[in-house]
């Protein structure tokens, strides 16, 4: 059974940092792409970042470029999202999702992914 578990969310002040983790079980990441998405109250779910080991592709939304970094630790079967210089607009529930053999492009969408974690809340507030 494929499962994803996110962790690392919390409350942080503007300008602060958090690192989210997405740990996979039931499959190995080397054949899957992992996407990070977020959804704020009253807003649609939006793509934040995507990484594909199969294709060596990494993508960031314009709103997080230069502030967020996605990375993979294959030994731990975990994908990380390092979030720096956080802003109140980054407040949302963050989800990771997986799809097999997928190229991360600028057009990656939530509907392309078929396995989802439960989400972790990130709140940026003073």
């Amino acid at each position: 059974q494929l499962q994803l578990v996110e962790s690392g969310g919390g409350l942080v002040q503007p300008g602060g940092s958090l690192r989210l983790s997405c740990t996979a079980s039931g499959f190995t990441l080397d054949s899957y792409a992992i996407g990070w998405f977020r959804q704020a109250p009253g807003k649609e779910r939006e793509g934040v970042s995507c990484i594909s080991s199969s294709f060596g592709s990494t993508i960031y939304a314009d709103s997080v470029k230069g502030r967020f970094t996605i990375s993979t630790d294959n030994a731990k079967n975990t994908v990380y999202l390092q979030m720096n210089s956080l802003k109140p607009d980054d407040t949302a529930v963050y989800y990771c999702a997986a799809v097999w053999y997928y190229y991360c492009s600028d057009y990656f969408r939530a509907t392309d992914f078929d396995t989802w974690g439960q989400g972790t809340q990130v709140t940026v507030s003073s």
Side-chain angles (χ1 to χ4, degrees):
Q1 183 179 359
L2 279 63
Q3 284 190 323
L4 296 170
V5 177
E6 302 100 333
S7 61
L11 173 64
V12 64
Q13 292 186 340
S17 298
L18 283 174
R19 189 179 77 161
L20 304 183
S21 300
C22 172
T23 300
S25 61
F27 66 102
T28 55
L29 293 175
D30 54 358
S31 297
Y32 283 77
I34 297 293
W36 281 100
F37 298 85
R38 66 187 182 186
Q39 189 164 20
K43 295 187 177 181
E44 293 187 355
R45 190 168 298 189
E46 65 170 339
V48 174
S49 184
C50 180
I51 187 167
S52 170
S53 297
S54 302
F55 294 95
S57 59
T58 303
I59 289 294
Y60 298 94
D62 287 343
S63 58
V64 306
K65 278 181 184 176
R67 301 188 298 122
F68 291 11
T69 303
I70 192 169
S71 62
T72 300
D73 185 335
N74 286 325
K76 295 183 178 180
N77 220 30
T78 297
V79 172
Y80 300 101
L81 185 68
Q82 178 67 44
M83 306 187 296
N84 298 329
S85 302
L86 283 162
K87 306 174 181 179
D89 284 351
D90 296 317
T91 296
V93 177
Y94 284 70
Y95 300 88
C96 65
V99 61
W100 182 76
Y101 206 66
Y102 177 85
Y103 179 80
C104 296
S105 73
D106 288 339
Y107 306 103
F108 81 101
R109 300 171 300 179
T111 52
D112 294 338
F113 293 74
D114 48 31
T115 298
W116 288 80
Q118 82 287 352
T120 185
Q121 176 70 46
V122 171
T123 303
V124 184
S125 175
S126 54

